[in-house]
Amino acid sequence: EAQVTQNPRYLITVTGKKLTVTCSQNMNHEYMSWYRQDPGLGLRQIYYSMNVEVTDKGDVPEGYKVSRKEKRNFPLILESPSPNQTSLYFCASSLSGTWVTGDTEAFFGQGTRLTVV
Amino acid sequence: AQSVTQLGSHVSVSEGALVLLRCNYSSSVPPYLFWYVQYPNQGLQLLLKYTTGATLVKGINGFEAEFKKSETSFHLTKPSAHMSDAAEYFCAVSIGDMRFGAGTRLTVKP
């Protein structure tokens, strides 16, 4: 089954404690992206990756890191989480090239609800 | 840069009534437009998309949307709401990158 898998689904952590949210897709997609969803703000892009070893900042990259060492995985790293990073996070993947032209569908993970206290 | 505005953060309809969710976009070039649906505790699923060609696009679950270039709109409609349609709906525009609207929560009353 084609899917994007995020882990964990729920996470409560303390300020400053490094954490990683994993994202894996089994569709051989080249393009992957991270979004955060906050009430009234919709989805805002954090980082995206056009292919292995190619990443770039989205609209709200501050406080986040990503890496793309393999095509299927795109982890989101919070080196020193703060309460303003409490949010619902989504990973998405899509075919590269066609994503750039817009003519494609994005597949989303189930989401990770992060609370930083 | 492209952007999307969804009019109305919350829409409430009765079961069997028409559903109309509004989306206006801003883009300097012809855009690709999408509607996604998010059910509680789930990720986003594609409802329908407009790329080129026919301006009336049909999607899953009886939804459709019409691309109106003159009005820069891509409103989502469904003739008869079902209880199962209750969800959050996101309009998105894509030109090299995908931008989402703030979302509209649809409530369906019995």
Side-chain angles (χ1 to χ4, degrees), chain B residues 23-47:
Chain B
C23 172
N24 287 89
Y25 69 91
S26 170
S27 173
S28 57
V29 298
Y32 296 103
L33 296 160
F34 304 80
W35 275 100
Y36 285 86
V37 60
Q38 183 183 31
Y39 297 105
N41 299 315
Q42 294 189 25
L44 280 71
Q45 304 172 32
L46 182 70
L47 264 183

Side-chain angles (χ1 to χ4, degrees), chain B residues 11-12 14 25 39 44 65 73 88 98 103:
Chain B
V11 171
S12 182
S14 298
Y25 69 91
Y39 297 105
L44 280 71
S73 69
E88 187 145 21
M98 187 169 281

Side-chain angles (χ1 to χ4, degrees), chain B residues 19-93:
Chain B
V19 175
L20 171 60
L21 305 182
R22 299 177 187 273
C23 172
N24 287 89
Y25 69 91
S26 170
S27 173
S28 57
V29 298
Y32 296 103
L33 296 160
F34 304 80
W35 275 100
Y36 285 86
V37 60
Q38 183 183 31
Y39 297 105
N41 299 315
Q42 294 189 25
L44 280 71
Q45 304 172 32
L46 182 70
L47 264 183
L48 50 81
K49 64 181 180 182
Y50 168 79
T51 54
T52 58
T55 56
L56 182 62
V57 180
K58 295 186 185 300
I60 61 172
N61 301 335
F63 284 93
E64 61 182 35
E66 186 171 12
F67 170 60
K68 292 187 176 180
K69 185 177 178 180
S70 61
E71 299 178 8
T72 61
S73 69
F74 191 56
H75 302 330
L76 182 71
T77 61
K78 181 174 181 177
S80 177
H82 294 163
M83 298 296 292
S84 60
D85 294 328
E88 187 145 21
Y89 293 80
F90 292 92
C91 183
V93 60

Side-chain angles (χ1 to χ4, degrees), chain A residues 2-81:
Chain A
Q3 60 185 3
V4 178
T5 304
Q6 291 179 231
N7 280 297
R9 291 290 308 278
Y10 302 92
L11 179 59
I12 300 175
T13 190
V14 296
T15 298
K17 185 176 181 181
K18 181 180 178 180
L19 66 91
T20 299
V21 183
T22 64
C23 174
S24 180
Q25 50 92 5
N26 63 0
M27 295 167 279
N28 203 35
H29 285 167
E30 293 184 346
Y31 188 102
M32 298 184 74
S33 181
W34 276 102
Y35 295 87
R36 61 178 288 174
Q37 183 180 11
D38 301 290
L41 297 176
L43 278 79
R44 293 180 292 169
Q45 191 176 55
I46 303 171
Y47 270 94
Y48 64 94
S49 169
M50 299 286 285
N51 210 329
V52 175
E53 302 293 359
V54 180
T55 63
D56 209 345
K57 297 177 180 179
D59 294 326
V60 288
E62 292 77 22
Y64 304 95
K65 285 176 56 177
V66 293
S67 69
R68 188 87 183 276
K69 293 184 171 57
E70 309 164 277
K71 184 182 278 192
R72 64 182 292 122
N73 296 323
F74 190 45
L76 179 69
I77 303 157
L78 284 72
E79 294 271 4
S80 183

Side-chain angles (χ1 to χ4, degrees), chain A residues 68-106:
Chain A
R68 188 87 183 276
K69 293 184 171 57
E70 309 164 277
K71 184 182 278 192
R72 64 182 292 122
N73 296 323
F74 190 45
L76 179 69
I77 303 157
L78 284 72
E79 294 271 4
S80 183
S82 63
N84 65 12
Q85 293 178 297
T86 292
S87 187
L88 179 59
Y89 291 85
F90 286 101
C91 180
S93 74
S94 182
L95 289 171
S96 179
T98 50
W99 176 283
V100 173
T101 63
D103 184 14
T104 190
E105 172 185 354

